[in-house]
Amino acid sequence: MSALNHTHDANARSWVESANAADSDFPIQNLPHAVFRRAGSSEAFRGGVAIGDQVLDLAALAAQQQLDGLALDAARAAALPALNDFFALGGAAWKALRHALFDLLKNDAPVATVQAVRECLVPQAEVEYTVPARIGDYTDFYTSIDHALNITRLFNPEGDVTPNFRWIPTAYHGRVSTIGVSGQRFHRPMGQAMAPGAKAPTYQACARLDYELELGVWIGSGNAQGEPIALEHAEEHIFGICLLNDWSARDIQFWEMAPLGPFLAKNFATTISPWIVTMEALAPYRQAWTRPTSEPQPLAYLENAKNRESGALDIRLEVWLESEKARKEKTGPSRLSSTSFRHQYWSVAQMVTHHTMGGCSLNPGDLFGSGTISGPGAGEAGAIIELTRAAQSPVTLTNGEQRGFLEDGDAVLLRGWCEKPGHARIGFGESRGTVLAARG
Amino acid sequence: MSALNHTHDANARSWVESANAADSDFPIQNLPHAVFRRAGSSEAFRGGVAIGDQVLDLAALAAQQQLDGLALDAARAAALPALNDFFALGGAAWKALRHALFDLLKNDAPVATVQAVRECLVPQAEVEYTVPARIGDYTDFYTSIDHALNITRLFNPEGDVTPNFRWIPTAYHGRVSTIGVSGQRFHRPMGQAMAPGAKAPTYQACARLDYELELGVWIGSGNAQGEPIALEHAEEHIFGICLLNDWSARDIQFWEMAPLGPFLAKNFATTISPWIVTMEALAPYRQAWTRPTSEPQPLAYLENAKNRESGALDIRLEVWLESEKARKEKTGPSRLSSTSFRHQYWSVAQMVTHHTMGGCSLNPGDLFGSGTISGPGAGEAGAIIELTRAAQSPVTLTNGEQRGFLEDGDAVLLRGWCEKPGHARIGFGESRGTVLAARG
């Protein structure tokens, strides 16, 4: 657990006024990283940090005389069109840059500093983003027991998760080439599905298109092949977290996935939010990671005191759906569900350690999906198949439309933030993706 | 199917004498690509082409005046430390370079040419190789019905493959970060396994370590997200083929893989051969891809006349095992099995088309594993779990040692070649990987 320091001081204010609004996702205590350029321009993409409704252009900042030493090295790396080199610098560099930017953006910064740094701000409303790193490998986990139980019980109301779920932070490798940043639009996939009782599958447009509410975990520093990362060091390898939508074609998935897992059902698109919130910024929102004594406790390599004391993260999450009709009529999106990441059965540190335990190497810029995040209560499910019980109980949008699964034109928005009394709000911004009609 | 042309002329000879030996893997009709440097040097890796027992250094050749036009552009790209840019040039460039190199290396080339090109040769015995491209995504297929049946019947002698096997070229995403070139050495993985009847899994070194005989299919040109590759164009997107060993930890696999597929059981190491044999060089070894009428025939998007006429490739394959004892006593490796790729239930073109059918994008340098290649006969199985029926019937090596699964110090060698009367032998060289003791 990162100890709290002055960059977590809830009373700190920025001279960027929009950062001081109570509902801002990006106060001076957050300072998440992204890669951006002016929308519609042919500018080079470069790294930036969010402050209020602005992007601090790190390429512009690094060209000034405001930074030195490790913070300057870090800013130069974080200004590149992909953050891999910045990640590879490691935790001391990440922290040095965060602390230096905090000082530059704080409302008691010298007037000359404010004047100079203000030149490096670009309004978020005027920029577009890209995937912030070259992702070497993408791994999708399956670590919410409420999600796993919801899915299992669609088929067998008395069913339980597979026996390995309680012992292994289950994961499978996913597709890098189709990961896109918020704003992604994709065609409803074609695929094979097998109707109940049919003798042969049919080739058709996916009829059961779904989203999955997940968080994306960005690996900062990696490990050599054959050298596992022990749990006590796992957190040092994580740079930060974003929102992630693991779009899923349920009819394709249920036909294809035995015995080797999901493939075409998942690899047509995955949407991430542009901003990576650092583990440092999330430190105030750590909680005890506990598992009821009625549940099996982890094997020794997946358990230690630090993980028990602070392995959980209380990140609040919401899924919203905006239909094409709602968009045209400007009636706004409808909230489908709301939960917190703190309910996960396995922590992000446990994911890192398990992933590398057999010798697998991680590299800076690798991405993990947390797996669908569903909480224990009604309305906390992270996929529409759970909310509607596979379209048996459709949800009603605020404009009266109903949904069993997603329809063409639907946009799905994920939102996330941390908030509690006495601490600054730490927001993730938004991930938005839109379903286009199938290309028959 | 590539039409045969003069570069397939079995009577063609090279002025590189070793290329003319009847048992050479690399005659002038082959010309496979790799990335190499002098062993133990700090030279930059660069692209080369095999001819007999030599490597033709394409960086050195491109600096001469022997090539022009598209062949020169192709040679410059194929000389880089990663072949992605060469792949992206597409089939016309691949063919232009092949034909130009054939002319330079043919025994009737002008004396001045021979003198100049000879300066670009480096003995294969003096080089080391690296993974020949930046692999964006790695996909492992499961397309041998004999393998699938062998595995199924270990557990249920009357069992059949899952119902989707006969309709889908099944695949799952694999791990890029641990793919290494021939010569790879890796530690036996640690992992979780669940003993029969046990209440909890144990954390231990893999006790059932296996290899899988596969071919690696290198994607040359890709496709845009949302734009599937139709079967009639699938072959145009494939650059060539190498050997691939998908090392597998069976005890870890059987515990972890339901429901999302293999993960730690596979991601600790994958070994490929350095040389990529082009689809052009393999053209004489195409065969009819047929499926007995008793089997379901593919859905329309996975079937056409070209695939039926020439979708199969008659690539002969062998697995050899060299124990530490055999290595020390120089008694040589033992052959464990022998088969051909022509028995596959799905063709490589069908793999490409199915992979992209839902909108997934492929990129130059993506790699497919064929899945374990087992033939129908005894002694044709591509994994030791099949040969030994999970160690119930151990195999005996030529020095008398027995193996149920792999032991520490074992090296597994894959070999592949094409051969038939009236045609030049087209070899793949070798893929070798060695098991080191677990790091407890």
Side-chain angles (χ1 to χ4, degrees), chain B residues 150-382:
Chain B
N150 287 343
I151 295 289
T152 301
R153 291 177 181 165
L154 281 178
F155 304 96
N156 175 5
E158 305 299 312
D160 194 6
V161 296
T162 52
N164 54 12
F165 186 93
R166 291 181 165 87
W167 297 100
I168 293 176
T170 301
Y172 65 103
H173 292 110
R175 185 79 191 173
V176 172
S177 70
T178 51
I179 297 174
V181 79
S182 183
Q184 188 176 36
R185 299 157 64 86
F186 62 88
H187 294 278
R188 177 182 296 272
M190 302 295 293
Q192 286 193 28
M194 180 69 106
K199 289 255 163 62
T202 50
Y203 172 68
Q204 60 189 44
C206 168
R208 299 190 143 207
L209 186 63
D210 202 350
Y211 57 83
E212 289 189 346
L213 167 65
E214 302 195 14
L215 290 173
V217 178
W218 287 94
I219 297 301
S221 55
N223 65 302
Q225 190 168 357
E227 295 182 9
I229 298 172
L231 189 63
E232 62 183 299
H233 295 296
E235 291 274 357
E236 301 159 22
H237 293 262
I238 303 171
F239 176 73
I241 292 181
C242 68
L243 305 167
L244 185 149
N245 186 341
D246 176 27
W247 302 95
S248 297
R250 300 299 182 193
D251 42 358
I252 296 170
Q253 183 178 352
F254 293 149
W255 169 231
E256 78 175 355
M257 78 182 285
L260 297 181
F263 182 60
L264 294 189
K266 303 276 195 173
N267 71 9
F268 56 91
T270 302
T271 309
I272 56 174
S273 58
W275 294 107
I276 309 175
V277 177
T278 63
M279 295 305 281
E280 172 92 7
L282 293 170
Y285 294 95
R286 292 182 161 285
Q287 292 189 351
W289 178 89
T290 52
R291 190 178 282 182
T293 52
S294 57
E295 295 283 313
Q297 301 303 304
L299 295 183
Y301 76 95
L302 288 175
E303 186 165 46
N304 66 11
K306 185 166 77 170
N307 192 63
R308 281 193 302 274
E309 286 160 14
S310 63
L313 287 162
D314 184 20
I315 301 172
R316 303 190 193 189
L317 297 161
E318 290 181 346
V319 182
W320 297 70
L321 190 152
E322 185 184 59
S323 70
E324 191 162 9
K325 182 167 185 283
R327 199 153 54 246
K328 282 183 178 159
E329 297 176 355
K330 300 190 197 301
T331 55
S334 303
R335 192 174 74 176
L336 298 188
S337 64
S338 172
T339 188
S340 164
F341 188 55
R342 70 187 166 89
H343 304 297
Q344 293 298 102
Y345 201 80
W346 296 100
S347 70
V348 290
Q350 289 169 325
M351 294 180 203
V352 167
T353 293
H354 184 72
H355 200 312
T356 62
M357 183 252 296
C360 185
S361 50
L362 303 180
N363 289 303
D366 283 353
L367 181 66
F368 292 178
S370 62
T372 309
I373 301 165
S374 296
E380 291 195 62

Side-chain angles (χ1 to χ4, degrees), chain B residues 16-265:
Chain B
V16 180
E17 269 304 324
S18 59
N20 304 322
D23 63 347
S24 174
D25 270 354
F26 307 122
I28 193 170
Q29 294 85 356
N30 193 348
L31 305 178
H33 287 258
V35 172
F36 79 102
R37 66 177 176 189
R38 283 183 194 271
S41 76
S42 58
E43 292 177 356
F45 278 105
R46 67 263 190 196
V49 163
I51 180 75
D53 59 7
Q54 305 290 308
V55 181
L56 176 58
D57 181 336
L58 292 179
L61 183 70
Q64 291 190 352
Q65 308 298 317
Q66 306 292 339
L67 300 169
D68 57 17
L70 186 54
L72 179 58
D73 292 344
R76 285 176 173 153
L80 296 173
L83 299 182
N84 301 69
D85 291 353
F86 173 53
F87 293 163
L89 290 177
W94 312 338
K95 186 175 272 198
L97 180 58
R98 171 184 170 83
H99 287 227
L101 296 179
F102 185 90
D103 291 343
L104 293 179
L105 293 166
K106 204 151 169 284
N107 61 358
D108 58 5
V111 172
T113 299
V114 174
Q115 284 177 335
V117 175
R118 197 187 295 281
E119 297 299 309
C120 305
L121 296 179
V122 184
Q124 287 168 23
E126 297 176 13
V127 310
E128 62 188 7
Y129 302 96
T130 191
V131 174
R134 294 180 307 276
I135 303 170
D137 280 290
Y138 163 52
T139 301
D140 194 24
F141 281 83
Y142 180 63
T143 60
S144 160
I145 197 165
D146 295 301
H147 166 66
L149 283 170
N150 287 343
I151 295 289
T152 301
R153 291 177 181 165
L154 281 178
F155 304 96
N156 175 5
E158 305 299 312
D160 194 6
V161 296
T162 52
N164 54 12
F165 186 93
R166 291 181 165 87
W167 297 100
I168 293 176
T170 301
Y172 65 103
H173 292 110
R175 185 79 191 173
V176 172
S177 70
T178 51
I179 297 174
V181 79
S182 183
Q184 188 176 36
R185 299 157 64 86
F186 62 88
H187 294 278
R188 177 182 296 272
M190 302 295 293
Q192 286 193 28
M194 180 69 106
K199 289 255 163 62
T202 50
Y203 172 68
Q204 60 189 44
C206 168
R208 299 190 143 207
L209 186 63
D210 202 350
Y211 57 83
E212 289 189 346
L213 167 65
E214 302 195 14
L215 290 173
V217 178
W218 287 94
I219 297 301
S221 55
N223 65 302
Q225 190 168 357
E227 295 182 9
I229 298 172
L231 189 63
E232 62 183 299
H233 295 296
E235 291 274 357
E236 301 159 22
H237 293 262
I238 303 171
F239 176 73
I241 292 181
C242 68
L243 305 167
L244 185 149
N245 186 341
D246 176 27
W247 302 95
S248 297
R250 300 299 182 193
D251 42 358
I252 296 170
Q253 183 178 352
F254 293 149
W255 169 231
E256 78 175 355
M257 78 182 285
L260 297 181
F263 182 60
L264 294 189

Side-chain angles (χ1 to χ4, degrees), chain B residues 394-423:
Chain B
V395 292
T396 303
L397 309 183
T398 52
N399 66 358
E401 288 182 276
Q402 292 202 316
R403 288 291 181 276
F405 286 98
L406 296 177
E407 297 192 4
D408 293 345
D410 284 352
V412 175
L413 291 70
L414 309 183
R415 291 176 184 163
W417 72 96
C418 302
E419 180 167 72
K420 66 179 176 182
H423 288 275

